[in-house]
Amino acid sequence: MMPSRVRLLSAALLLLAACQRPSASRSALGGGVPPRQAPVFPGGWRFAPGTPAAFGEKFMIASNERRASDAGNEIIRAGGNAVDAAVAVGFALAVTYPVAGNIGGGGFMVIRMADGRNAAIDYREVAPLAAHRDMYLDAQGNPTNESIIGYRASGVPGAVAGMAEALSKYGTMTLSQVMQPAIKLARDGFTVDSALYGSLASSKEYLARFDARDVFYTNGAPLTIGSTFKQPALARTLEYIAQQGPKAFYEGIVGDSMVAAMTRGGGIITTADLKAYKPEWRTPIRASYRGYTLFSMPPASSGGITVTETLNMLETWPTLPAWGTPEYAHILGSAYQRAFIDRNSKLADPAFVKVPIEQLTSKSYAQALAKTIDPAKKTPTPKDGSQIVDGMHTTHYSVVDDKGNAVATTTTLNNGYGSAVYLKNVGFFMNDEMDDFATAPGKPNMFGLVQYEANAIAPGKRMLSAMSPTIVLDPRGELLLVVGAAGGPRIITATSQVILNVIDHRMNLSDAMRAPRLHHQALPDTLMVETGGLTKEAEDGLRRIGHGIRYMGGLANVNAVMRVKGGWEGVSEPRVGGTGGTSAR
Ligand code: GLY
C-alpha cells in the first residue's frame, strides 16, 4: 500500500539505492531470504562498512566493558546459562564500569529461554515514600537540578533485588556463584584503562563535590592508566549480598549506610523505602514485524511500546525506501515523532496510570497514524520544546548461551555516575533516576524530553524509562538478535534502527551498528542526526520538506548479539571505541 509515499524526492537518492551491493557475509537463514547487503555510508562518515564482528561458535556476550563480559563467559564455561551469565555481567559492570554499571540503580531484563518461555523483569527504581509531585520545583514553578545531582535525586535502587529475582527463577547457579567474578574484580582490582581514565577525567567536576573524589581522584587526579584499582568497600558489600542474598543490600550495614548518607545529605530514602522495594515480573511486549517476532520491555519502560508502535507504522510500507535516502529518514523520523507523542503523554508506571497497551501496539492504530505521514511535508509537533543536552548514561548488555537461551538487559544510574553521590563506606554510586519523572509536567527534562501528568512524581511510583532490551526471533521462530542501548530517549530510536538495518536493509550486525543514526522525540521538533550521517542530497531533501536538522556527535550506545551461520556475532558500540567488550567461545 501507499506506493506514492516511496516516490523519490531527488534523483541522487535513486543512485544511492542502486549503489547497494550484496556482500558475501554469513547469513543464518537459508533459501528465500535475501542475502545481507553492504550499505554505502555517506562520504566522510566515521565508520566504513565491512568491519568484522566478534564471532563465537557457542555463545556470545556483548557489553560496554570486556572484563564484565568475561565474567559472564566464566559463568557459562562453568555450566551456567544466559541468566546466570547476565547476572554475573550486571554485578561485574558495577565494579569495572562505574559510570553506568551499578547496584545503586535499576534496570530491566528480557529473557527468552530456548524452551520457548519468555519473561521480563522490571527492577526500575521507585520514588521514595516522601516524594511528591512538585518536589523539584523552585518558588517560580521551574525545575531545579536537584532531580539530577545530589542526595534528593535518587529513587530507591532496584538492581540487586531484580537481578537476584531473575536468577532465582531462570538461573541455575546460586547468587554467590555468579557474583564471584565481580567480587574478585573489586577485591583484587583491575587495571585502569584509557576508557575509565577518560570517563573519570571528563566527570571530575561533577564527581568532585562528593566522596567519589577520595576514591577515584586520589591526589586530585583521575586513577592512573595502568594502575590496579581495588575497591575493598564495594567488595565487602558484594560479599554480604553473595552470602546473605539481596536483603543484605536493603537492610543491615549497607541499607543503614544508604539511609544514614541520605539523612546527612538531605535525601529522602528511608529504611521503610528500602524494605518495601520489590521487582515486578511483567509480560513482555510481543510484536510482529514482517514475519519476525520481537519481545521487549513493557511499562514501567516505554521502550517496548514505542519500538512496536514505530515498527507497526513502518510495516505499512511494503518496502521501505533505501537506507540513506531522505525518504527513509523522513518516514522513520515521522514515525518516531508520532510514537513519542504517545510515549510522552500516555506511558507511565502501570500501577498508577492505565496505559492503553493494546491500542498503542495494535496494527490498526499504527495504520491510522501512518496515514498522517505526508511524504512531501514534515508535520510539526504541536508544541515547541527546548534543546536536548548530552551527558546521559545507561548501559545495555546482550547474552546468548550455548543452549540458545538469551537475555537482553539494560541497567542505569541515569546520568553518568548517577547523582554523583558515592557512598564511600559501601562503595557505590546512587542513581539520579528521579529526573526520569516529569518533574515539571510540560517542561523538558535533562534529555530535552517533554512529558506530561501521566509520568508526574508520586510516592512509590516507578519513573518512566526508555530502556528497550529486545529479543528478535526470525520468521522460523529461531533466536536472531539480542539488542538494546543506552542513551535516554535515544535508546528507543537506536535499538529500533539496528533492528531495521538487520531486517529491512539486510545489513550484517557490524554494519547495522555502524550505520549513522537519527532520532526524533516529538519535542524538540527536530530531526537529530549523527554528524556526517547524511549526504548533502539527503540533508537538502529533508530540509525542503520542512525538517529542522540538528547534528549530534553520537546517538546512543548499543550492544548486540546476532545469529549467523555456525554461531553468533557480537558487536559492542563502536562509537565509544576502546571501551567495548565482547566475550565469546
Ligand atoms: N534513565 C534512562 C531511562 O531509563 O530511560
mmCIF file with all atom_site columns, all heavy atoms in Angstrom, residues 504-526:
data_model
loop_
_atom_site.group_PDB
_atom_site.id
_atom_site.type_symbol
_atom_site.label_atom_id
_atom_site.label_alt_id
_atom_site.label_comp_id
_atom_site.label_asym_id
_atom_site.label_entity_id
_atom_site.label_seq_id
_atom_site.pdbx_PDB_ins_code
_atom_site.Cartn_x
_atom_site.Cartn_y
_atom_site.Cartn_z
_atom_site.occupancy
_atom_site.B_iso_or_equiv
_atom_site.pdbx_formal_charge
_atom_site.auth_seq_id
_atom_site.auth_comp_id
_atom_site.auth_asym_id
_atom_site.auth_atom_id
_atom_site.pdbx_PDB_model_num
ATOM 1   N N   . ASP A 1 504 ? 15.174 -4.957  7.431  1.00 0.00 ? 504 ASP A N   1
ATOM 2   C CA  . ASP A 1 504 ? 14.764 -4.324  6.169  1.00 0.00 ? 504 ASP A CA  1
ATOM 3   C C   . ASP A 1 504 ? 15.934 -4.046  5.235  1.00 0.00 ? 504 ASP A C   1
ATOM 4   O O   . ASP A 1 504 ? 15.811 -4.210  4.026  1.00 0.00 ? 504 ASP A O   1
ATOM 5   C CB  . ASP A 1 504 ? 14.063 -2.992  6.437  1.00 0.00 ? 504 ASP A CB  1
ATOM 6   C CG  . ASP A 1 504 ? 12.703 -3.196  7.062  1.00 0.00 ? 504 ASP A CG  1
ATOM 7   O OD1 . ASP A 1 504 ? 12.638 -3.287  8.300  1.00 0.00 ? 504 ASP A OD1 1
ATOM 8   O OD2 . ASP A 1 504 ? 11.706 -3.281  6.322  1.00 0.00 ? 504 ASP A OD2 1
ATOM 9   N N   . HIS A 1 505 ? 17.036 -3.604  5.821  1.00 0.00 ? 505 HIS A N   1
ATOM 10  C CA  . HIS A 1 505 ? 18.141 -3.168  4.960  1.00 0.00 ? 505 HIS A CA  1
ATOM 11  C C   . HIS A 1 505 ? 19.194 -4.244  4.792  1.00 0.00 ? 505 HIS A C   1
ATOM 12  O O   . HIS A 1 505 ? 20.202 -4.014  4.126  1.00 0.00 ? 505 HIS A O   1
ATOM 13  C CB  . HIS A 1 505 ? 18.727 -1.859  5.498  1.00 0.00 ? 505 HIS A CB  1
ATOM 14  C CG  . HIS A 1 505 ? 17.685 -0.787  5.612  1.00 0.00 ? 505 HIS A CG  1
ATOM 15  N ND1 . HIS A 1 505 ? 17.043 -0.253  4.518  1.00 0.00 ? 505 HIS A ND1 1
ATOM 16  C CD2 . HIS A 1 505 ? 17.114 -0.200  6.693  1.00 0.00 ? 505 HIS A CD2 1
ATOM 17  C CE1 . HIS A 1 505 ? 16.139 0.628   4.916  1.00 0.00 ? 505 HIS A CE1 1
ATOM 18  N NE2 . HIS A 1 505 ? 16.168 0.680   6.239  1.00 0.00 ? 505 HIS A NE2 1
ATOM 19  N N   . ARG A 1 506 ? 18.936 -5.403  5.403  1.00 0.00 ? 506 ARG A N   1
ATOM 20  C CA  . ARG A 1 506 ? 19.742 -6.608  5.205  1.00 0.00 ? 506 ARG A CA  1
ATOM 21  C C   . ARG A 1 506 ? 21.221 -6.384  5.507  1.00 0.00 ? 506 ARG A C   1
ATOM 22  O O   . ARG A 1 506 ? 22.091 -6.975  4.874  1.00 0.00 ? 506 ARG A O   1
ATOM 23  C CB  . ARG A 1 506 ? 19.566 -7.153  3.772  1.00 0.00 ? 506 ARG A CB  1
ATOM 24  C CG  . ARG A 1 506 ? 18.119 -7.408  3.363  1.00 0.00 ? 506 ARG A CG  1
ATOM 25  C CD  . ARG A 1 506 ? 17.389 -8.392  4.217  1.00 0.00 ? 506 ARG A CD  1
ATOM 26  N NE  . ARG A 1 506 ? 18.053 -9.678  4.330  1.00 0.00 ? 506 ARG A NE  1
ATOM 27  C CZ  . ARG A 1 506 ? 17.867 -10.524 5.351  1.00 0.00 ? 506 ARG A CZ  1
ATOM 28  N NH1 . ARG A 1 506 ? 17.051 -10.211 6.337  1.00 0.00 ? 506 ARG A NH1 1
ATOM 29  N NH2 . ARG A 1 506 ? 18.509 -11.670 5.384  1.00 0.00 ? 506 ARG A NH2 1
ATOM 30  N N   . MET A 1 507 ? 21.506 -5.507  6.465  1.00 0.00 ? 507 MET A N   1
ATOM 31  C CA  . MET A 1 507 ? 22.913 -5.302  6.838  1.00 0.00 ? 507 MET A CA  1
ATOM 32  C C   . MET A 1 507 ? 23.355 -6.435  7.759  1.00 0.00 ? 507 MET A C   1
ATOM 33  O O   . MET A 1 507 ? 22.548 -7.002  8.500  1.00 0.00 ? 507 MET A O   1
ATOM 34  C CB  . MET A 1 507 ? 23.085 -3.975  7.574  1.00 0.00 ? 507 MET A CB  1
ATOM 35  C CG  . MET A 1 507 ? 22.818 -2.748  6.738  1.00 0.00 ? 507 MET A CG  1
ATOM 36  S SD  . MET A 1 507 ? 23.141 -1.247  7.705  1.00 0.00 ? 507 MET A SD  1
ATOM 37  C CE  . MET A 1 507 ? 22.139 -0.052  6.826  1.00 0.00 ? 507 MET A CE  1
ATOM 38  N N   . ASN A 1 508 ? 24.648 -6.707  7.760  1.00 0.00 ? 508 ASN A N   1
ATOM 39  C CA  . ASN A 1 508 ? 25.154 -7.587  8.804  1.00 0.00 ? 508 ASN A CA  1
ATOM 40  C C   . ASN A 1 508 ? 25.218 -6.782  10.107 1.00 0.00 ? 508 ASN A C   1
ATOM 41  O O   . ASN A 1 508 ? 25.029 -5.557  10.107 1.00 0.00 ? 508 ASN A O   1
ATOM 42  C CB  . ASN A 1 508 ? 26.507 -8.211  8.416  1.00 0.00 ? 508 ASN A CB  1
ATOM 43  C CG  . ASN A 1 508 ? 27.598 -7.167  8.269  1.00 0.00 ? 508 ASN A CG  1
ATOM 44  O OD1 . ASN A 1 508 ? 27.615 -6.180  9.003  1.00 0.00 ? 508 ASN A OD1 1
ATOM 45  N ND2 . ASN A 1 508 ? 28.501 -7.366  7.324  1.00 0.00 ? 508 ASN A ND2 1
ATOM 46  N N   . LEU A 1 509 ? 25.470 -7.456  11.231 1.00 0.00 ? 509 LEU A N   1
ATOM 47  C CA  . LEU A 1 509 ? 25.361 -6.758  12.519 1.00 0.00 ? 509 LEU A CA  1
ATOM 48  C C   . LEU A 1 509 ? 26.368 -5.620  12.635 1.00 0.00 ? 509 LEU A C   1
ATOM 49  O O   . LEU A 1 509 ? 26.042 -4.543  13.141 1.00 0.00 ? 509 LEU A O   1
ATOM 50  C CB  . LEU A 1 509 ? 25.540 -7.749  13.678 1.00 0.00 ? 509 LEU A CB  1
ATOM 51  C CG  . LEU A 1 509 ? 25.342 -7.137  15.064 1.00 0.00 ? 509 LEU A CG  1
ATOM 52  C CD1 . LEU A 1 509 ? 23.931 -6.577  15.222 1.00 0.00 ? 509 LEU A CD1 1
ATOM 53  C CD2 . LEU A 1 509 ? 25.626 -8.161  16.164 1.00 0.00 ? 509 LEU A CD2 1
ATOM 54  N N   . SER A 1 510 ? 27.564 -5.854  12.167 1.00 0.00 ? 510 SER A N   1
ATOM 55  C CA  . SER A 1 510 ? 28.602 -4.827  12.294 1.00 0.00 ? 510 SER A CA  1
ATOM 56  C C   . SER A 1 510 ? 28.182 -3.546  11.562 1.00 0.00 ? 510 SER A C   1
ATOM 57  O O   . SER A 1 510 ? 28.290 -2.436  12.105 1.00 0.00 ? 510 SER A O   1
ATOM 58  C CB  . SER A 1 510 ? 29.915 -5.373  11.735 1.00 0.00 ? 510 SER A CB  1
ATOM 59  O OG  . SER A 1 510 ? 30.870 -4.362  11.722 1.00 0.00 ? 510 SER A OG  1
ATOM 60  N N   . ASP A 1 511 ? 27.699 -3.698  10.342 1.00 0.00 ? 511 ASP A N   1
ATOM 61  C CA  . ASP A 1 511 ? 27.255 -2.514  9.590  1.00 0.00 ? 511 ASP A CA  1
ATOM 62  C C   . ASP A 1 511 ? 25.999 -1.912  10.208 1.00 0.00 ? 511 ASP A C   1
ATOM 63  O O   . ASP A 1 511 ? 25.846 -0.683  10.259 1.00 0.00 ? 511 ASP A O   1
ATOM 64  C CB  . ASP A 1 511 ? 26.976 -2.878  8.127  1.00 0.00 ? 511 ASP A CB  1
ATOM 65  C CG  . ASP A 1 511 ? 28.240 -3.267  7.368  1.00 0.00 ? 511 ASP A CG  1
ATOM 66  O OD1 . ASP A 1 511 ? 29.342 -2.935  7.852  1.00 0.00 ? 511 ASP A OD1 1
ATOM 67  O OD2 . ASP A 1 511 ? 28.120 -3.918  6.313  1.00 0.00 ? 511 ASP A OD2 1
ATOM 68  N N   . ALA A 1 512 ? 25.094 -2.775  10.670 1.00 0.00 ? 512 ALA A N   1
ATOM 69  C CA  . ALA A 1 512 ? 23.851 -2.272  11.287 1.00 0.00 ? 512 ALA A CA  1
ATOM 70  C C   . ALA A 1 512 ? 24.168 -1.396  12.502 1.00 0.00 ? 512 ALA A C   1
ATOM 71  O O   . ALA A 1 512 ? 23.477 -0.422  12.778 1.00 0.00 ? 512 ALA A O   1
ATOM 72  C CB  . ALA A 1 512 ? 22.976 -3.449  11.711 1.00 0.00 ? 512 ALA A CB  1
ATOM 73  N N   . MET A 1 513 ? 25.235 -1.753  13.203 1.00 0.00 ? 513 MET A N   1
ATOM 74  C CA  . MET A 1 513 ? 25.640 -0.972  14.376 1.00 0.00 ? 513 MET A CA  1
ATOM 75  C C   . MET A 1 513 ? 26.388 0.289   13.972 1.00 0.00 ? 513 MET A C   1
ATOM 76  O O   . MET A 1 513 ? 26.370 1.298   14.684 1.00 0.00 ? 513 MET A O   1
ATOM 77  C CB  . MET A 1 513 ? 26.561 -1.823  15.253 1.00 0.00 ? 513 MET A CB  1
ATOM 78  C CG  . MET A 1 513 ? 25.879 -3.000  15.899 1.00 0.00 ? 513 MET A CG  1
ATOM 79  S SD  . MET A 1 513 ? 25.033 -2.537  17.403 1.00 0.00 ? 513 MET A SD  1
ATOM 80  C CE  . MET A 1 513 ? 26.414 -2.185  18.477 1.00 0.00 ? 513 MET A CE  1
ATOM 81  N N   . ARG A 1 514 ? 27.101 0.229   12.850 1.00 0.00 ? 514 ARG A N   1
ATOM 82  C CA  . ARG A 1 514 ? 27.934 1.360   12.441 1.00 0.00 ? 514 ARG A CA  1
ATOM 83  C C   . ARG A 1 514 ? 27.184 2.377   11.579 1.00 0.00 ? 514 ARG A C   1
ATOM 84  O O   . ARG A 1 514 ? 27.683 3.481   11.367 1.00 0.00 ? 514 ARG A O   1
ATOM 85  C CB  . ARG A 1 514 ? 29.175 0.855   11.698 1.00 0.00 ? 514 ARG A CB  1
ATOM 86  C CG  . ARG A 1 514 ? 30.202 0.273   12.646 1.00 0.00 ? 514 ARG A CG  1
ATOM 87  C CD  . ARG A 1 514 ? 31.386 -0.369  11.936 1.00 0.00 ? 514 ARG A CD  1
ATOM 88  N NE  . ARG A 1 514 ? 32.423 -0.698  12.913 1.00 0.00 ? 514 ARG A NE  1
ATOM 89  C CZ  . ARG A 1 514 ? 32.380 -1.752  13.726 1.00 0.00 ? 514 ARG A CZ  1
ATOM 90  N NH1 . ARG A 1 514 ? 31.372 -2.588  13.670 1.00 0.00 ? 514 ARG A NH1 1
ATOM 91  N NH2 . ARG A 1 514 ? 33.354 -1.967  14.600 1.00 0.00 ? 514 ARG A NH2 1
ATOM 92  N N   . ALA A 1 515 ? 26.032 2.013   11.086 1.00 0.00 ? 515 ALA A N   1
ATOM 93  C CA  . ALA A 1 515 ? 25.281 2.936   10.237 1.00 0.00 ? 515 ALA A CA  1
ATOM 94  C C   . ALA A 1 515 ? 24.921 4.189   11.033 1.00 0.00 ? 515 ALA A C   1
ATOM 95  O O   . ALA A 1 515 ? 24.555 4.097   12.211 1.00 0.00 ? 515 ALA A O   1
ATOM 96  C CB  . ALA A 1 515 ? 24.015 2.253   9.741  1.00 0.00 ? 515 ALA A CB  1
ATOM 97  N N   . PRO A 1 516 ? 25.011 5.375   10.421 1.00 0.00 ? 516 PRO A N   1
ATOM 98  C CA  . PRO A 1 516 ? 24.609 6.598   11.120 1.00 0.00 ? 516 PRO A CA  1
ATOM 99  C C   . PRO A 1 516 ? 23.167 6.496   11.611 1.00 0.00 ? 516 PRO A C   1
ATOM 100 O O   . PRO A 1 516 ? 22.328 5.906   10.938 1.00 0.00 ? 516 PRO A O   1
ATOM 101 C CB  . PRO A 1 516 ? 24.733 7.686   10.047 1.00 0.00 ? 516 PRO A CB  1
ATOM 102 C CG  . PRO A 1 516 ? 25.504 7.100   8.931  1.00 0.00 ? 516 PRO A CG  1
ATOM 103 C CD  . PRO A 1 516 ? 25.469 5.615   9.057  1.00 0.00 ? 516 PRO A CD  1
ATOM 104 N N   . ARG A 1 517 ? 22.920 7.067   12.779 1.00 0.00 ? 517 ARG A N   1
ATOM 105 C CA  . ARG A 1 517 ? 21.589 7.000   13.397 1.00 0.00 ? 517 ARG A CA  1
ATOM 106 C C   . ARG A 1 517 ? 20.912 8.361   13.364 1.00 0.00 ? 517 ARG A C   1
ATOM 107 O O   . ARG A 1 517 ? 21.585 9.396   13.336 1.00 0.00 ? 517 ARG A O   1
ATOM 108 C CB  . ARG A 1 517 ? 21.718 6.531   14.852 1.00 0.00 ? 517 ARG A CB  1
ATOM 109 C CG  . ARG A 1 517 ? 22.294 5.144   14.954 1.00 0.00 ? 517 ARG A CG  1
ATOM 110 C CD  . ARG A 1 517 ? 22.576 4.719   16.388 1.00 0.00 ? 517 ARG A CD  1
ATOM 111 N NE  . ARG A 1 517 ? 23.271 3.431   16.360 1.00 0.00 ? 517 ARG A NE  1
ATOM 112 C CZ  . ARG A 1 517 ? 24.129 3.011   17.285 1.00 0.00 ? 517 ARG A CZ  1
ATOM 113 N NH1 . ARG A 1 517 ? 24.396 3.757   18.341 1.00 0.00 ? 517 ARG A NH1 1
ATOM 114 N NH2 . ARG A 1 517 ? 24.722 1.845   17.161 1.00 0.00 ? 517 ARG A NH2 1
ATOM 115 N N   . LEU A 1 518 ? 19.602 8.312   13.436 1.00 0.00 ? 518 LEU A N   1
ATOM 116 C CA  . LEU A 1 518 ? 18.844 9.553   13.595 1.00 0.00 ? 518 LEU A CA  1
ATOM 117 C C   . LEU A 1 518 ? 17.871 9.368   14.744 1.00 0.00 ? 518 LEU A C   1
ATOM 118 O O   . LEU A 1 518 ? 17.615 8.244   15.200 1.00 0.00 ? 518 LEU A O   1
ATOM 119 C CB  . LEU A 1 518 ? 18.141 9.943   12.291 1.00 0.00 ? 518 LEU A CB  1
ATOM 120 C CG  . LEU A 1 518 ? 17.115 9.000   11.685 1.00 0.00 ? 518 LEU A CG  1
ATOM 121 C CD1 . LEU A 1 518 ? 15.774 9.105   12.380 1.00 0.00 ? 518 LEU A CD1 1
ATOM 122 C CD2 . LEU A 1 518 ? 16.941 9.317   10.207 1.00 0.00 ? 518 LEU A CD2 1
ATOM 123 N N   . HIS A 1 519 ? 17.319 10.490  15.172 1.00 0.00 ? 519 HIS A N   1
ATOM 124 C CA  . HIS A 1 519 ? 16.436 10.441  16.346 1.00 0.00 ? 519 HIS A CA  1
ATOM 125 C C   . HIS A 1 519 ? 15.401 11.553  16.245 1.00 0.00 ? 519 HIS A C   1
ATOM 126 O O   . HIS A 1 519 ? 15.717 12.675  15.849 1.00 0.00 ? 519 HIS A O   1
ATOM 127 C CB  . HIS A 1 519 ? 17.284 10.644  17.607 1.00 0.00 ? 519 HIS A CB  1
ATOM 128 C CG  . HIS A 1 519 ? 16.487 10.746  18.875 1.00 0.00 ? 519 HIS A CG  1
ATOM 129 N ND1 . HIS A 1 519 ? 15.910 9.652   19.491 1.00 0.00 ? 519 HIS A ND1 1
ATOM 130 C CD2 . HIS A 1 519 ? 16.157 11.823  19.644 1.00 0.00 ? 519 HIS A CD2 1
ATOM 131 C CE1 . HIS A 1 519 ? 15.276 10.052  20.597 1.00 0.00 ? 519 HIS A CE1 1
ATOM 132 N NE2 . HIS A 1 519 ? 15.408 11.357  20.701 1.00 0.00 ? 519 HIS A NE2 1
ATOM 133 N N   . HIS A 1 520 ? 14.164 11.207  16.603 1.00 0.00 ? 520 HIS A N   1
ATOM 134 C CA  . HIS A 1 520 ? 13.120 12.233  16.770 1.00 0.00 ? 520 HIS A CA  1
ATOM 135 C C   . HIS A 1 520 ? 12.329 11.858  18.000 1.00 0.00 ? 520 HIS A C   1
ATOM 136 O O   . HIS A 1 520 ? 11.961 10.702  18.179 1.00 0.00 ? 520 HIS A O   1
ATOM 137 C CB  . HIS A 1 520 ? 12.222 12.295  15.535 1.00 0.00 ? 520 HIS A CB  1
ATOM 138 C CG  . HIS A 1 520 ? 11.520 13.619  15.397 1.00 0.00 ? 520 HIS A CG  1
ATOM 139 N ND1 . HIS A 1 520 ? 10.667 14.115  16.371 1.00 0.00 ? 520 HIS A ND1 1
ATOM 140 C CD2 . HIS A 1 520 ? 11.560 14.563  14.421 1.00 0.00 ? 520 HIS A CD2 1
ATOM 141 C CE1 . HIS A 1 520 ? 10.209 15.302  15.981 1.00 0.00 ? 520 HIS A CE1 1
ATOM 142 N NE2 . HIS A 1 520 ? 10.734 15.601  14.810 1.00 0.00 ? 520 HIS A NE2 1
ATOM 143 N N   . GLN A 1 521 ? 12.083 12.814  18.874 1.00 0.00 ? 521 GLN A N   1
ATOM 144 C CA  . GLN A 1 521 ? 11.357 12.506  20.115 1.00 0.00 ? 521 GLN A CA  1
ATOM 145 C C   . GLN A 1 521 ? 10.158 13.432  20.309 1.00 0.00 ? 521 GLN A C   1
ATOM 146 O O   . GLN A 1 521 ? 9.758  13.686  21.433 1.00 0.00 ? 521 GLN A O   1
ATOM 147 C CB  . GLN A 1 521 ? 12.310 12.588  21.300 1.00 0.00 ? 521 GLN A CB  1
ATOM 148 C CG  . GLN A 1 521 ? 12.958 13.950  21.489 1.00 0.00 ? 521 GLN A CG  1
ATOM 149 C CD  . GLN A 1 521 ? 13.921 13.983  22.679 1.00 0.00 ? 521 GLN A CD  1
ATOM 150 O OE1 . GLN A 1 521 ? 14.575 13.018  23.004 1.00 0.00 ? 521 GLN A OE1 1
ATOM 151 N NE2 . GLN A 1 521 ? 13.992 15.135  23.334 1.00 0.00 ? 521 GLN A NE2 1
ATOM 152 N N   . ALA A 1 522 ? 9.632  13.929  19.206 1.00 0.00 ? 522 ALA A N   1
ATOM 153 C CA  . ALA A 1 522 ? 8.450  14.812  19.188 1.00 0.00 ? 522 ALA A CA  1
ATOM 154 C C   . ALA A 1 522 ? 8.834  16.243  19.562 1.00 0.00 ? 522 ALA A C   1
ATOM 155 O O   . ALA A 1 522 ? 8.644  17.159  18.785 1.00 0.00 ? 522 ALA A O   1
ATOM 156 C CB  . ALA A 1 522 ? 7.321  14.297  20.062 1.00 0.00 ? 522 ALA A CB  1
ATOM 157 N N   . LEU A 1 523 ? 9.341  16.446  20.755 1.00 0.00 ? 523 LEU A N   1
ATOM 158 C CA  . LEU A 1 523 ? 9.864  17.749  21.164 1.00 0.00 ? 523 LEU A CA  1
ATOM 159 C C   . LEU A 1 523 ? 11.248 17.560  21.755 1.00 0.00 ? 523 LEU A C   1
ATOM 160 O O   . LEU A 1 523 ? 11.420 16.635  22.552 1.00 0.00 ? 523 LEU A O   1
ATOM 161 C CB  . LEU A 1 523 ? 8.964  18.401  22.222 1.00 0.00 ? 523 LEU A CB  1
ATOM 162 C CG  . LEU A 1 523 ? 7.577  18.866  21.747 1.00 0.00 ? 523 LEU A CG  1
ATOM 163 C CD1 . LEU A 1 523 ? 6.755  19.354  22.934 1.00 0.00 ? 523 LEU A CD1 1
ATOM 164 C CD2 . LEU A 1 523 ? 7.697  19.970  20.705 1.00 0.00 ? 523 LEU A CD2 1
ATOM 165 N N   . PRO A 1 524 ? 12.236 18.381  21.410 1.00 0.00 ? 524 PRO A N   1
ATOM 166 C CA  . PRO A 1 524 ? 12.182 19.428  20.396 1.00 0.00 ? 524 PRO A CA  1
ATOM 167 C C   . PRO A 1 524 ? 11.852 18.837  19.012 1.00 0.00 ? 524 PRO A C   1
ATOM 168 O O   . PRO A 1 524 ? 12.255 17.719  18.712 1.00 0.00 ? 524 PRO A O   1
ATOM 169 C CB  . PRO A 1 524 ? 13.590 20.019  20.411 1.00 0.00 ? 524 PRO A CB  1
ATOM 170 C CG  . PRO A 1 524 ? 14.414 19.165  21.279 1.00 0.00 ? 524 PRO A CG  1
ATOM 171 C CD  . PRO A 1 524 ? 13.545 18.220  22.010 1.00 0.00 ? 524 PRO A CD  1
ATOM 172 N N   . ASP A 1 525 ? 11.145 19.628  18.215 1.00 0.00 ? 525 ASP A N   1
ATOM 173 C CA  . ASP A 1 525 ? 10.608 19.140  16.950 1.00 0.00 ? 525 ASP A CA  1
ATOM 174 C C   . ASP A 1 525 ? 11.682 19.193  15.854 1.00 0.00 ? 525 ASP A C   1
ATOM 175 O O   . ASP A 1 525 ? 11.572 19.948  14.892 1.00 0.00 ? 525 ASP A O   1
ATOM 176 C CB  . ASP A 1 525 ? 9.387  19.992  16.583 1.00 0.00 ? 525 ASP A CB  1
ATOM 177 C CG  . ASP A 1 525 ? 8.600  19.370  15.447 1.00 0.00 ? 525 ASP A CG  1
ATOM 178 O OD1 . ASP A 1 525 ? 9.040  18.323  14.925 1.00 0.00 ? 525 ASP A OD1 1
ATOM 179 O OD2 . ASP A 1 525 ? 7.560  19.936  15.086 1.00 0.00 ? 525 ASP A OD2 1
ATOM 180 N N   . THR A 1 526 ? 12.700 18.398  16.043 1.00 0.00 ? 526 THR A N   1
ATOM 181 C CA  . THR A 1 526 ? 13.874 18.436  15.175 1.00 0.00 ? 526 THR A CA  1
ATOM 182 C C   . THR A 1 526 ? 14.335 17.013  14.922 1.00 0.00 ? 526 THR A C   1
ATOM 183 O O   . THR A 1 526 ? 14.270 16.175  15.820 1.00 0.00 ? 526 THR A O   1
ATOM 184 C CB  . THR A 1 526 ? 15.026 19.174  15.912 1.00 0.00 ? 526 THR A CB  1
ATOM 185 O OG1 . THR A 1 526 ? 14.550 20.436  16.309 1.00 0.00 ? 526 THR A OG1 1
ATOM 186 C CG2 . THR A 1 526 ? 16.251 19.341  15.046 1.00 0.00 ? 526 THR A CG2 1
#
